[in-house]
Amino acid sequence: MNDRYPFVNTPLPYPFDALEPCIDARTMELHHDRHLQAYIDNLNALLAAHPPLQNWTLERLVRGWQGLPPPLREPVRRNAGGVYNHRFYFDGLCGNCTLSETGRMAQQTAAARFGGMAEFESRIREAGLSVFGSGYAWLVLDHCRLEIVTTANQDTPLHPGIRPILNVDVWEHAYYLKHQNRRADYLADWLQVINWDRVGERMWECARRAEG
Ligand code: MN
């Protein structure tokens, strides 16, 4: 699981160039090996100095930073959030995805909720464009109803009753090498490499938890 200290930057489940031409290999390499690595290194250094937090899971750190002593709050918020958000983003992508029944059902669920796949795509693209500065757009299940939300910086939508289903990183480092300032073009390309099977798995996990 690798979900607690010491965190390890596990390799991507696909090659850096798997998302070409939508997202270029160099961007993926820098994003994973430098940006995510930095968040992992920072988080590990922070927890090395605070042993009581070393058995906290990543999700507990992300949810619980506000209850920590004041000097720890912002560093944990930023770095645990940075690890969580990036892992979630990379895990939600694939190149030349084969779509199974799970993925097809996830697409149908999103389309039904937003009035068609084109409408879903338009809504999440607009959400990504609406982030001022750095952050993420998310598809979430809010008490098992699909909603589109945004977060700033490395904040997460992990609030009570809300489960993240899909996110897109709109920090400039996620697209600047290929798309420069054209965030809209990046978002259009990102829509082509969504791992809908993973989206479906995340949806059913929420449904199972709600039943349990
Ligand atoms: Mn990023």
Side-chain angles (χ1 to χ4, degrees), residues 31 35-36 39 82 86 89-90 136 154 169-171 173-174:
H31 205 172
H35 291 276
L36 173 53
Y39 285 108
H86 280 106
Y89 169 72
F90 291 133
Y136 295 78
Q154 295 299 355
D169 187 339
V170 296
W171 286 60
H173 65 234

Side-chain angles (χ1 to χ4, degrees), residues 86-128:
H86 280 106
R87 284 180 169 182
F88 201 83
Y89 169 72
F90 291 133
D91 190 47
L93 301 175
C94 61
N96 293 317
C97 306
T98 53
L99 200 59
S100 75
E101 189 59 24
T102 302
R104 269 191 293 275
M105 286 180 66
Q107 287 183 334
Q108 286 164 10
T109 304
R113 164 66 180 89
F114 295 102
M117 187 49 66
E119 187 62 21
F120 161 75
E121 292 183 346
S122 155
R123 289 273 304 275
I124 198 156
R125 223 168 40 225
E126 282 168 20

Side-chain angles (χ1 to χ4, degrees), residues 88 91-94 99 102-110 117 120 139-141 146 164-167 190 193-206:
F88 201 83
D91 190 47
L93 301 175
C94 61
L99 200 59
T102 302
R104 269 191 293 275
M105 286 180 66
Q107 287 183 334
Q108 286 164 10
T109 304
M117 187 49 66
F120 161 75
L139 179 67
V140 301
L141 279 163
L146 286 174
I165 300 300
L166 178 67
N167 69 348
W190 165 77
V193 291
I194 294 173
N195 185 336
W196 280 98
D197 280 359
R198 182 73 72 248
V199 171
E201 289 161 11
R202 290 165 175 171
M203 283 182 183
W204 316 146
E205 187 195 338
C206 178

